[in-house]
Amino acid sequence: MLDLSQVIVLDIETVPQYPSFDDVPPHLQHLWEQKTHFQRKPDQSAEEFYEKAGILAEFGKIICISLGIFSYQNKTYSLRLKSFAGHDEKEILQQFSDLIKKQSPTLMFCAHNGKEFDFPYLCRRLLVNGLEIPSQLDLSGKKPWEVNHIDTMEMWKFGDYKHYTSLNLLASILNIPTPKDDIDGSQVRQVYYEEQNLERIITYCQKDVITTAQVLLKFKGMNIISAENITIVS
C-alpha cells in the first residue's frame, strides 16, 4: 500500500537560457547546432529550432518548480501546493533543495514523465549551479529497487516501452476533471520572454501537479481530491 504522506508530486517549467538565438554566446551557438543536428528537420536551422532549447538541460533553465503534498484528515485526503519560481534559477533550486533536505530520506517523488524529464533535469541543473543533489533525487550507486521515483506515464505504459501518453489525455480518459489550461507547454517560452508573465506559468505548473496527483490516486483505486480540499500555500 502506497503511503501518500511520503509522496511529493512534482512538476517543473523550463525555458531556453537566452531570449533568442542571437543572444546565445557564439561557442554555445555552435554546440547547440551540434547537439540538435539529428533532432532538426532537414530544412530547419539551429536558430529556428532554438525555441525548443528549454527541453534540454544543457541549454535551458528552470523557472518554476511546483510541489504537491498529500495530507489525510477526517478520513479525507487533501493536497497542499507550494511553488518556487523566479528568474534566478540558482535561488529557485536552493529553496527547493533546502525544503527536500528537511524531508524523510524515504520520500518519493511523483511526476508524469518524470523519469525521462523532470528528475534528471533537476539533477543536471543542480549540478550546473554548483548545488548538492538531495539524496532523494540522487541515483548514484542506488540499485533499481532502491529508487523511490514514481512516474505516472510509466505506470500507464504497463511495460510498453514505445508508448507515450500526455498528462491531459490520461486525465481525460480517466475522467479526471481538469481546468481549461490557459497555456500549454509549447507556449511557456513565449509567455516568459515575450509576455513576461511568470504568474501564468506558475498557475499552469500547479495545474499539472494537481492533475498528476489525481492520476496517481486513480491508479491506486482511490477517490480523487475535491477542489475544496486543494490549497496553495506561500
Side-chain angles (χ1 to χ4, degrees):
M1 181 70 177
L2 179 66
D3 182 1
L4 290 178
S5 68
Q6 289 295 302
V7 175
I8 287 187
V9 184
L10 176 149
D11 188 56
I12 65 174
E13 298 304 329
T14 64
V15 294
Q17 290 175 25
Y18 298 91
S20 70
F21 188 71
D22 289 339
D23 298 309
V24 179
H27 72 287
L28 286 177
Q29 288 186 359
H30 178 64
L31 290 170
W32 169 255
E33 188 167 355
Q34 288 183 321
K35 175 76 173 179
T36 62
H37 177 73
F38 294 106
Q39 294 173 264
R40 289 181 272 124
K41 296 176 183 177
D43 59 345
Q44 191 175 33
S45 69
E47 181 177 359
E48 291 170 329
F49 196 68
Y50 185 70
E51 65 177 27
K52 297 185 182 297
I55 64 174
L56 298 176
E58 299 89 345
F59 297 94
K61 69 173 185 175
I62 295 170
I63 56 170
C64 182
I65 306 172
S66 291
L67 308 174
I69 301 171
F70 295 99
S71 60
Y72 187 71
Q73 288 182 330
N74 301 322
K75 299 182 180 179
T76 303
Y77 276 103
S78 61
L79 188 70
R80 298 171 73 238
L81 301 174
K82 184 174 181 63
S83 294
F84 303 106
H87 309 296
D88 186 333
E89 183 187 44
K90 186 172 184 177
E91 182 179 340
I92 295 169
L93 289 169
Q94 185 69 69
Q95 292 172 342
F96 164 75
S97 182
D98 289 345
L99 175 67
I100 299 306
K101 287 176 182 177
K102 296 176 185 176
Q103 310 304 312
S104 166
T106 59
L107 176 76
M108 293 177 279
F109 286 109
C110 174
H112 190 76
N113 199 29
K115 291 186 178 181
E116 288 290 325
F117 185 70
D118 304 75
F119 306 144
Y121 202 113
L122 276 165
C123 291
R124 290 165 184 157
R125 295 311 301 172
L126 282 161
L127 184 63
V128 166
N129 282 279
L131 299 174
E132 183 181 354
I133 299 172
S135 61
Q136 299 93 332
L137 269 179
D138 192 359
L139 304 185
S140 301
K142 289 184 179 178
K143 298 176 177 61
W145 56 87
E146 295 174 329
V147 177
N148 286 331
H149 298 167
I150 302 169
D151 189 329
T152 50
M153 191 176 83
E154 185 179 72
M155 293 170 76
W156 179 248
K157 284 181 178 182
F158 291 100
D160 180 358
Y161 292 102
K162 306 182 299 299
H163 207 75
Y164 175 84
T165 303
S166 71
L167 180 60
N168 283 343
L169 174 56
L170 193 52
S172 178
I173 61 177
L174 293 176
N175 295 317
I176 295 171
T178 56
K180 281 193 174 180
D181 280 326
D182 181 34
I183 57 174
D184 62 43
S186 67
Q187 297 171 294
V188 171
R189 182 205 63 82
Q190 176 188 336
V191 173
Y192 180 73
Y193 279 118
E194 297 175 21
E195 298 180 19
Q196 299 182 3
N197 193 338
L198 186 60
E199 287 302 317
R200 284 181 70 191
I201 296 169
I202 295 170
T203 299
Y204 168 66
C205 192
Q206 290 172 344
K207 287 177 181 178
D208 273 358
V209 168
I210 294 169
T211 303
T212 303
Q214 306 285 39
V215 166
L216 178 63
L217 292 173
K218 279 278 191 175
F219 273 120
K220 296 302 175 182
M222 303 167 69
N223 294 327
I224 62 174
I225 298 172
S226 59
E228 60 266 23
N229 287 324
I230 299 173
T231 56
I232 298 172
V233 297
S234 58

